[in-house]
Amino acid sequence: LWTVSTSLKTLQQIAVWPPEWIPRPVMWSNYIEVFHVAPIALYLRNTMVIVIADVLGAVITCSFVAYGFSRTNFPGRDALFMLLLSTLMMPYVVRLVPLYVIYNQIGWINTFLPLVVPPLLGRNPFFIFLLRQFLMGLPTEISDAARVDGATEFGIFRQVIMPLARPAIAVVALFQFIGSWNDYFGPLIYLNDKARYTISLGIANMQSSYGFSNFAWIMAATCMSVLPIIVLFFFAQRTFIEGIALTGLKG
């Protein structure tokens, strides 16, 4: 509420003490002016490119790996799954320097590749665990019936399991969307060119440039950055809650 109120105030109203919650007059022009003082549209476009790639990568690859751990039998499956879960205990900062060195050597610094390629490789063990738990709750007779009808393993995964796993997939997609949209540390490390900044990094850059001249511009940009997440959750909340409730029925 304070963010929305501040985004609609003049600089003089922002400095008033005690604070006034309802701006008089309401400065809707702040939302227009912020596009002139900073390339907000470019920041939003860059963020959307990364988010779409990350969500598609996380949903496709993590569900594929989760299917292998839950619906197929192969030697060492459980041991390999425990090894996968053990990577959750490794902090991101421990891997930061080696990853930066590798990305720098292959020329990925100042590109979107360090931010979009890892999700395309199923790198999130939490998502794999979440999807695996959901898939293990589905009856095995469904897959057996599809095999009797001549379906291949990939066909069962794509045509039978994936539609049934829609609630869990929605949870993964929403978590990945929020994580990628709000990601500040990754773009800060790997992106140097301002033309490639994401919305989180762009707002931080605005704070250093306009924080003392017009704080309302920063709050207006912040409101616009939060709006897509609110809208997405509003439309996906039923599927999201259903996926959370059903995940983990069978260990």
Side-chain angles (χ1 to χ4, degrees):
L1 290 175
W2 180 84
T3 302
V4 174
S5 175
T6 304
S7 69
L8 298 172
K9 292 180 179 179
T10 63
L11 186 60
Q12 291 74 21
Q13 290 174 325
I14 295 175
V16 170
W17 184 263
E20 295 181 357
W21 285 95
I22 301 177
R24 294 185 181 87
V26 177
M27 300 296 295
W28 295 106
S29 59
N30 289 336
Y31 284 85
I32 300 176
E33 293 172 359
V34 70
F35 283 92
H36 297 292
V37 300
I40 298 297
L42 179 62
Y43 296 157
L44 291 172
R45 188 191 68 181
N46 293 341
T47 307
M48 189 58 66
V49 169
I50 295 173
V51 166
I52 292 176
D54 287 355
V55 170
L56 291 177
V59 167
I60 295 173
T61 58
C62 291
S63 61
F64 196 75
V65 175
Y67 178 84
F69 279 125
S70 62
R71 313 291 292 188
T72 62
N73 293 315
F74 57 89
R77 184 189 69 172
D78 295 337
L80 189 60
F81 182 68
M82 293 302 297
L83 179 63
L84 173 71
L85 291 183
S86 67
T87 61
L88 287 170
M89 296 183 292
M90 183 179 296
Y92 177 71
V93 292
V94 174
R95 297 176 282 123
L96 181 61
V97 173
L99 285 175
Y100 186 90
V101 172
I102 294 173
Y103 294 150
N104 186 52
Q105 290 176 345
I106 60 180
W108 283 10
I109 298 301
N110 200 31
T111 69
F112 293 156
L113 293 176
L115 303 174
V116 301
V117 171
L120 291 173
L121 301 178
R123 65 98 187 254
N124 197 312
F126 173 72
F127 291 163
I128 296 173
F129 169 77
L130 189 107
L131 289 166
R132 173 186 176 269
Q133 296 302 104
F134 184 90
L135 296 182
M136 291 186 70
L138 299 177
T140 57
E141 291 78 9
I142 298 176
S143 301
D144 295 337
R147 292 189 184 96
V148 171
D149 291 337
T152 62
E153 205 67 39
F154 181 74
I156 296 173
F157 164 75
R158 183 173 60 88
Q159 298 177 348
V160 179
I161 300 301
M162 287 291 282
L164 294 175
R166 191 178 293 111
I169 291 174
V171 173
V172 170
L174 189 60
F175 279 167
Q176 184 63 58
F177 184 97
I178 295 175
S180 299
W181 187 273
N182 291 333
D183 186 20
Y184 171 75
F185 195 61
L188 177 65
I189 297 298
Y190 299 121
L191 301 179
N192 303 322
D193 189 358
K194 291 184 178 181
R196 294 184 172 89
Y197 276 9
T198 61
I199 187 66
S200 297
L201 199 56
I203 291 176
N205 183 64
M206 287 180 59
Q207 187 172 358
S208 61
S209 302
Y210 305 107
F212 296 100
S213 59
N214 198 329
F215 203 62
W217 292 341
I218 300 174
M219 294 297 101
T222 302
C223 289
M224 287 187 287
S225 71
V226 174
L227 184 61
I229 297 177
I230 297 176
V231 172
L232 178 65
F233 186 81
F234 177 79
F235 286 104
Q237 61 176 329
R238 183 174 181 179
T239 306
F240 173 77
I241 295 173
E242 181 182 355
I244 289 292
L246 295 178
T247 299
L249 289 180
K250 185 177 180 180

